[in-house]
Amino acid sequence: MPGPLSGVKVLELVKKGPGAFVTMMLADMGADVIKVEAPSPEGESGSGESPLAADARAQAANIVNRGKRSLVLDLKAERGREVLHALARKTDVVVEGFRPGVTARLSADYETLRIGNRRLIYCSLSGYGQDGPYRDLPGHDINYIAMAGILNLIGEPGKPPIVPLNFIADLGGAALHAVAGIVLALFARERTGNGQLVDIAYLDAAVSLLAPTSIIREHLAGGAPVKRGMGALGGRFPYYAVYETSDAKFISIGCIEPWLWANLCNAIERPDLIDAGLQPGDYTGKESERQSWCRKELERIFKTRSRDEWFELLARADVCTGKVYEIPELFDDPQLKHRRMATRMSHPEIGEVKQIGIAIKLSDTPGSIRGFAPWKGQHTQEILAELGNS
């Protein structure tokens, strides 16, 4: 079945970073994504994000490049740039992830490519955006969430912040904002006939994630900012925390609403703990002595059963709970399998392989995984032929 982006052509100019995740989502929705890659150093094989992809199994695990075609071009050579310009004239979307100024030196920037295609949508992902005093600074997720005020909120009071991998600014922030920006620009083009530049900064995206939080609401209303580890969502309050179970695993509890907290207390036969639930001021304050004592009680109680036993009991009692999974466990979870988020595909060489599914569920034009990651340069001749080359 054609996806919602069937017929949309995308050029990916990404060496590293979340740009490949952006184009993976576009490919899953039916877009024809051409991954433009530099010539390989001697001995290198595989495509883009997976330098170890010298065998089929490693390549099948290269999820962010699934469903794409790979074209090797040397953009430092005039002929390579000519081919890129010819492609851009027939392209709907370009996604690039270099530092500002790099694509201009390669004659692959928005101003150059739009000359031959006024309908071109050009998405640039960079740390701090295409303008401003930090424009040329290098950076990674840890730097962006630090400057967004997010990193300082994660962890325990009196201890250094906890680094949450690169899930926030890179992936949850910039990548998803980029997909939204591209789709919005495609929608606008249907009305105006013109493409435009989509300028996505990792720092901007991280800051935007603060907008719906109580932290920002309290601060903008004149309250003091929450400090690390404090507040109802900081992990110290008994109703929003992680507890170790008898099998040395963990279970999460998220019972902020009073009735859900009451459900938990009744399920563990401790209705006397109900008064330790959410209190006025918890969102920006510190836990009370009563809540601290309750937390210790729950730590003791949760060690009396296994993680899975607790989950079954609490789920039946309408409690906000979740198993703290290790990654291999994801693919056996019945909900994730039902929703096809933990899915399997048949590979022609190695048989069944695991894949992360598609989170955006559309009823009439659903996305689909349209193939495994290409070998580097696998489609070079095919794409050049489409441009009329011999």
Side-chain angles (χ1 to χ4, degrees):
M1 178 184 295
L5 295 182
S6 292
V8 173
K9 295 187 179 297
V10 179
L11 283 182
E12 178 196 309
L13 307 177
V14 174
K15 189 174 182 181
K16 292 182 178 180
F21 182 46
V22 174
T23 52
M24 180 207 80
M25 287 188 276
L26 301 179
D28 286 346
M29 291 298 165
D32 176 15
V33 177
I34 297 175
K35 186 177 184 69
V36 178
E37 307 189 71
S40 301
E42 185 176 355
E44 181 185 324
S45 63
S47 177
E49 298 280 320
S50 184
L52 299 178
D55 60 71
R57 184 164 299 279
Q59 197 64 359
N62 188 358
I63 295 175
V64 295
N65 285 324
R66 69 189 183 196
K68 303 176 184 178
R69 297 194 288 167
S70 175
L71 165 69
V72 171
L73 281 183
D74 184 0
L75 296 183
K76 296 180 180 179
E78 182 177 355
R79 179 58 180 148
R81 293 192 293 272
E82 289 175 356
V83 171
L84 180 71
H85 294 171
L87 277 171
R89 286 193 288 272
K90 299 181 178 182
T91 291
D92 296 288
V93 179
V94 171
V95 178
E96 67 93 4
F98 293 96
R99 288 170 67 175
V102 172
T103 55
R105 293 197 295 271
L106 298 172
S107 297
D109 57 311
Y110 175 58
E111 295 301 330
T112 299
L113 298 185
R114 71 184 296 212
I115 294 173
N117 183 358
R118 69 181 182 86
R119 292 173 56 82
L120 181 67
I121 293 161
Y122 190 103
C123 180
S124 291
L125 295 109
S126 61
Y128 300 98
Q130 299 300 303
D131 50 28
Y134 298 160
R135 186 192 102 132
D136 296 321
L137 288 181
H140 281 295
D141 191 279
I142 188 173
N143 311 121
Y144 311 133
I145 63 173
M147 298 189 70
I150 294 173
L151 185 59
N152 194 49
L153 297 172
I154 304 174
E156 298 183 38
K159 295 183 179 180
I162 294 175
V163 180
L165 299 181
N166 69 323
F167 295 140
I168 298 178
D170 282 1
L171 303 175
L176 297 185
H177 277 77
V179 171
I182 290 167
V183 173
L184 290 170
L186 285 168
F187 183 74
R189 191 179 71 176
E190 292 300 306
R191 296 180 170 185
T192 67
N194 295 318
Q196 59 184 299
L197 175 65
V198 180
D199 178 4
I200 302 292
Y202 302 151
L203 177 59
D204 294 354
V207 171
S208 75
L209 298 178
L210 292 172
T213 66
S214 58
I215 297 164
I216 288 296
R217 288 198 302 270
E218 291 286 337
H219 177 63
L220 296 180
V226 176
K227 295 183 180 179
R228 183 162 55 257
M230 293 177 62
L233 306 182
R236 293 172 60 87
F237 287 80
Y239 48 77
Y240 199 87
V242 172
Y243 294 96
E244 187 175 359
T245 54
S246 63
D247 51 354
K249 295 184 179 181
F250 296 90
I251 194 161
S252 64
I253 298 296
C255 296
I256 302 170
E257 295 83 357
W259 62 92
L260 293 171
W261 172 246
N263 288 351
L264 170 64
C265 295
N266 290 324
I268 63 175
E269 300 181 352
R270 291 297 301 271
D272 59 301
L273 301 179
I274 289 177
D275 65 343
L278 180 71
Q279 306 295 322
D282 278 3
Y283 277 108
T284 55
K286 184 180 179 182
E287 70 274 19
S288 66
E289 290 185 11
R290 173 68 173 164
Q291 289 169 325
S292 181
W293 177 84
C294 177
R295 172 69 183 267
K296 290 182 173 61
E297 276 293 283
L298 289 181
E299 289 173 354
R300 179 186 63 79
I301 291 169
F302 276 110
K303 285 187 178 180
T304 63
R305 301 191 189 198
S306 71
R307 180 195 66 183
D308 292 358
E309 289 173 333
W310 277 120
F311 180 78
E312 292 299 325
L313 185 153
L314 297 178
R316 288 196 302 269
D318 200 29
V319 172
C320 292
T321 185
K323 305 174 192 179
V324 179
Y325 277 147
E326 296 181 9
I327 294 299
E329 296 179 286
L330 296 176
F331 291 89
D332 294 321
D333 181 86
Q335 178 68 17
L336 291 175
K337 287 197 289 187
H338 176 82
R339 298 280 292 178
R340 296 189 59 79
M341 287 307 301
T343 189
R344 289 169 168 81
M345 294 178 61
S346 178
H347 191 282
E349 296 180 42
I350 57 177
E352 186 179 80
V353 297
K354 298 175 181 178
Q355 288 278 303
I356 301 295
I358 299 170
I360 299 173
K361 305 292 196 286
L362 300 177
S363 62
D364 292 347
T365 56
S368 63
I369 300 174
R370 301 169 190 274
F372 296 98
W375 295 106
K376 189 166 189 172
Q378 178 178 340
H379 303 96
T380 298
Q381 297 299 327
E382 174 185 303
I383 295 167
L384 292 177
E386 290 173 0
L387 294 175
N389 295 282
S390 63

